[in-house]
Structure formats: structure tokens, C-alpha cells
Amino acid sequence: MSDIQVIGSLNVDMTVRLPRFHAAGETITGEDFNTYLGGKGGNQAMALSRLGASVSFIGMVGEDSNGARYIEALNLAGVDTSGIGTTTEAPTGVALIEVNKRGENRIAVVPGANALCDVDFLSEQQKKQAAPKLLMLQLEIPLYSCMQAARQAEKQGTMVMLDPAPAIPLNDIFLSRLDWITPNESELRLLTGMPIGSISDVENAAKYLLSKGAKRVVAKLGKSGCLYVDSESSLYSPAFSVNAVDTTAAGDSFNAGLAYAIINDMPLEKALRFANAVGALSTTMEGAQAAMPSLEMVEEFLANNIQQS
Ligand code: RIB
């Protein structure tokens, strides 16, 4: 049995580094091009395996070289890939990613096989695997499939963490099945329709999600750290200052760090600090999964760095 089950997307990222983001109709010259393994689901699973967690993955790739490359990489990382299906009906998902000089990114995803993760496929795979302690979801496979996966997890007594990315409106039934939801600022704005300009705005929006049924909100605030909110308390955790070269998988790494901390029963303050550190470290290297830190790297980083006040 794996402690953590990730259900989600597997993409191949085609990443170009640019001096700046360009305008519509403009052609500019890129500085560098690479292909990396990505997809929010795959990134979270890979980050967890680097940290030493036992992880299984349920998802779908095309019956093509990208799909084969992906499954091989996850196997090598020790992720249980028995729940990954292959299809001839669509190619493996791809993401076109631009990264500017400041490490900021713009991403366009073509879901391909990820869009074929339907309810029947997922529930068959979920039933084949022993119930994990924690299920991690994102929104790069069909929403209805995510909702059914959360329903099944609830029946199995499994905790559910949703990374609501890319954000779409969510109904109260789905929200009420979430033990953890981890929006960034723009996702929080979309999910609540509320303004997000200050920490108290974030806290109010998080409380709105609690009122809709979510049990705990961890708002990811990028360079400002994160804010935890539940029905009784809230806790702010400042960010670490790093020299970011590529922020592509910062959110995925943060979620993996948070999940690892939860599974290992870290106290809340330590868990948020750990998640911030995993997220920060992932921005100091290029690529999505290529940038995921090991547990040793995170521990060394935590020993040598303090959070910004
Ligand atoms: O969160 C980053 C990921 O978003 C990239 O790896 C890309 O594949 C898109 O899914």
C-alpha cells in the first residue's frame, strides 16, 4: 500500500526560455529550449518520491514515446505506476511553457490522454489499490472524475487534498469532501469571486471556502509564503528568499511538501515551513520535475535558511 495516491495529469513540458514575454503578433528569439516531464499530477508524485514518500499514481498517457518515457521515469523514481493506463485515442498531454528572465512562466496545456481519465477508469483503478492515507488531486483531468475520486476516497476513509489548478468553479459537494484545498491567489479569487489584495482578504476568502464545506485551506502566496486557515484558527508562514530561475512547478512542489509533512505528522507550523522550503527550492533549478529537491536538500536548506519576516 502507498501512503499517498496521486490522481492527475502527466504532460511533457516543452519549455523555452525568453528574454521577456512577447506581445500578440510579435516574434522574438528564445534563448534555450528543453523538454521536461511535467503535468501537475506527475510533478506532485515525482516531488513526493524525491522526499522519500511511498506514492502510487493513477492517470493516463498516450501509447507513444512520450508516454513510455514518462512511465519509465516514474518507475525509476519508485512510484507505483500500475494505475497508469495507455490509450491510442489521444497522445500524451503536452504543455508549452515560456519562462522569462525573472523565472516567471506562462503555460498552455493540451490535455490529450489526460482528458480520457474518465470515472469508470479511475474508480476501477482506485478499487484495485489499497486505500491510501492521502489522495492528491489537481484539475488537469476532467472535473467530474476528480469529484468521483474524492467521493470514493471519502468512502475509504482517505484524506483528500485538492490543488485547484487550473481553477474552475467548484460545487459545495466537492468542496465538502476536501480535507485540504491549496489555491494560489488567482485561484482563490476565481473560486470565491472575492478580492485578494491583502492577507486579510486571503483569510476572508479562505473562510468563504470553509463555509462552503472545505475543512482546511492553505493559500499559496508565492513570494509571500502561505496562509493556513481552518474553522478555529489561522497561521501565516513566511516565504524563504531564494534566487528563482524557474517557478514552473513551485506550486506542485509546495503541495508535495505539505502532503509529506501531513503524512509524517509534522506539527502545523513545521509543516507549512517544510512546504515553503520544498516550493522555494524547486524554483532554484530549471524544469518541473528536474527541479524537485530530495529530503536531504530540504533538510540542509531548512538548517541554513530563515524565513523572511
Ligand atoms: O504546475 C506546472 C505544470 O503545469 C507543468 O509541468 C505543466 O505541465 C502544467 O501542467
Side-chain angles (χ1 to χ4, degrees):
M1 183 195 91
S2 300
D3 285 341
I4 302 176
Q5 186 178 65
V6 181
I7 295 184
S9 57
L10 300 166
N11 295 333
V12 169
D13 292 351
M14 301 186 188
T15 303
V16 59
R17 294 194 77 83
L18 299 167
R20 60 181 168 79
F21 294 134
H22 50 310
E26 186 188 16
T27 300
I28 59 169
T29 304
E31 294 167 346
D32 186 32
F33 172 78
N34 272 299
T35 60
Y36 299 105
L37 297 178
K40 296 181 195 307
N43 291 346
Q44 294 181 6
M46 197 63 98
L48 281 161
S49 82
R50 293 262 165 79
L51 293 172
S54 72
V55 195
S56 63
F57 196 93
I58 299 179
M60 183 80 77
V61 291
E63 227 171 277
D64 49 30
S65 56
N66 279 343
R69 175 185 166 202
Y70 214 133
I71 292 175
E72 189 186 351
L74 287 172
N75 281 334
L76 271 174
V79 175
D80 174 353
T81 60
S82 58
I84 301 181
T86 59
T87 178
T88 52
E89 286 170 38
T92 299
V94 291
L96 305 180
I97 303 183
E98 299 177 352
V99 179
N100 72 9
K101 280 263 187 254
R102 298 202 303 214
E104 297 161 333
N105 61 72
R106 284 182 177 177
I107 304 179
V109 175
V110 183
N114 296 305
L116 301 181
C117 280
D118 60 26
V119 172
D120 290 345
F121 170 74
L122 290 190
S123 65
E124 189 189 325
Q125 299 305 323
Q126 270 182 299
K127 281 176 194 157
K128 273 190 203 161
Q129 298 187 10
K133 291 184 190 156
L134 175 68
L135 167 65
M136 295 179 75
L137 297 166
Q138 325 76 40
L139 297 174
E140 285 188 328
I141 61 170
L143 175 61
Y144 192 62
S145 300
C146 290
M147 290 167 61
Q148 291 302 312
R151 182 163 174 253
Q152 172 71 14
E154 187 180 54
K155 277 193 207 157
Q156 294 174 321
T158 293
M159 270 187 298
V160 181
M161 177 187 291
L162 174 72
D163 186 4
I168 39 174
L170 302 175
N171 69 32
D172 297 2
I173 295 176
F174 188 29
L175 285 170
S176 70
R177 296 205 162 106
L178 305 178
D179 297 281
W180 300 82
I181 182 169
T182 61
N184 65 20
E185 287 159 275
S186 64
E187 290 152 3
L188 194 53
R189 190 177 298 116
L190 187 142
L191 290 173
T192 63
M194 294 167 71
I196 306 292
S198 63
I199 286 283
S200 73
D201 286 348
V202 172
E203 185 166 358
N204 288 336
K207 284 182 178 160
Y208 176 82
L209 291 181
L210 298 178
S211 76
K212 295 287 172 189
K215 295 180 190 67
R216 299 172 195 85
V217 180
V218 180
K220 295 184 277 195
L221 308 175
K223 285 180 186 160
S224 301
C226 65
L227 181 72
Y228 168 91
V229 187
D230 67 19
S231 59
E232 280 157 19
S233 64
S234 65
L235 183 63
Y236 173 67
S237 183
F240 291 95
S241 175
V242 290
N243 190 13
V245 297
D246 184 349
T247 56
T248 301
D252 301 327
S253 307
F254 178 98
N255 273 57
L258 182 62
Y260 179 88
I262 292 167
I263 287 301
N264 287 286
D265 297 323
M266 284 187 204
L268 182 63
E269 193 174 349
K270 191 174 171 195
L272 299 179
R273 188 167 177 265
F274 186 88
N276 274 332
V278 179
L281 265 172
S282 77
T283 69
T284 62
M285 293 165 275
E286 289 184 18
Q289 291 170 27
M292 305 301 188
S294 65
L295 184 60
E296 293 69 33
M297 288 165 76
V298 180
E299 283 171 347
E300 192 188 330
F301 180 83
L302 285 168
N304 293 311
N305 290 273
I306 52 166
Q307 289 165 288
Q308 296 169 312
S309 52

